Amino acid sequence: MKVTYKLPILNYSYDEFEPYIDAETMYIHYTKHHQTYVNNINNILKSTCTPFLPIEKLIMNLNSLKIEKKIVLCNNAGGHFNHILFWKGLKKDTSLKGNLKKLIEEQFGSFEEFQNQFNHIAVSLFGSGWIWLILKNNRLSIVTTVNQDNPLMKDSVTNVCVGYPIIALDVWEHAYYLRYKNKRIDYIKSFWKIINWDEATHRFDTYKTFLMNN
Ligand code: MN
């Protein structure tokens, strides 16, 4: 039987991040939105001879695949991978430390200045998309992608957006509208209360391993 893509298992409950992200939003976001991306990739690939690739490899190699519906696959594969990063990127009570903290302070002047810039970019993104902290050539940048594009999709995003994702923030309305309505900035501020710095640090520290394998 063909290996298919699956929802990742969450190691927390839907109400874990109350009041910052409400349980209903978490439930719908994970079981409906994310599940749909997964179903769509499986449906597109079902009738093709494309070998199963880990999702990160799939989004990095979309252009070399010889299949129809490539744009739809790109949207849904991005949707799947972006949400994996988003779920992993949430955890209560972690703190920024180590080399990531050092580089943020070095490049942005202070953590507060980094946060201000991130918030400003996140609130200014028009329409649906993602805000990222990416790493490339030992430099951090805050970038945005539209729809479900990802900074690892070299062929789909502009060069300025290409890099290794360290932090991922979903600013599609489905991520916050039930609780925050039109106040995206309040959702962004809540994100900082539940950001998983352990995961961000881990991604930062394993970037070199990623480069060696890709
Ligand atoms: Mn989403």
Side-chain angles (χ1 to χ4, degrees), residues 18 62 81 122:
E18 289 273 10
L62 283 167
F81 185 58

Side-chain angles (χ1 to χ4, degrees), residues 29-30 33-34 37 79 82-83 86-87 129-130 148 170-176 187:
H29 201 173
Y30 174 72
H33 292 277
H34 191 169
Y37 300 126
N82 292 349
H83 286 84
F86 185 63
W87 306 131
W130 290 74
Q148 295 294 355
D170 186 350
V171 295
W172 281 55
E173 283 187 348
H174 69 227
Y176 63 87
Y187 160 71

Side-chain angles (χ1 to χ4, degrees), residues 8-35:
I9 293 177
L10 301 184
N11 58 1
Y12 44 72
S13 58
Y14 298 128
D15 64 359
E16 173 85 359
F17 304 115
E18 289 273 10
Y20 305 114
I21 301 180
D22 60 288
E24 191 185 5
T25 296
M26 285 296 286
Y27 172 76
I28 297 173
H29 201 173
Y30 174 72
T31 66
K32 308 294 179 192
H33 292 277
H34 191 169
Q35 182 71 63

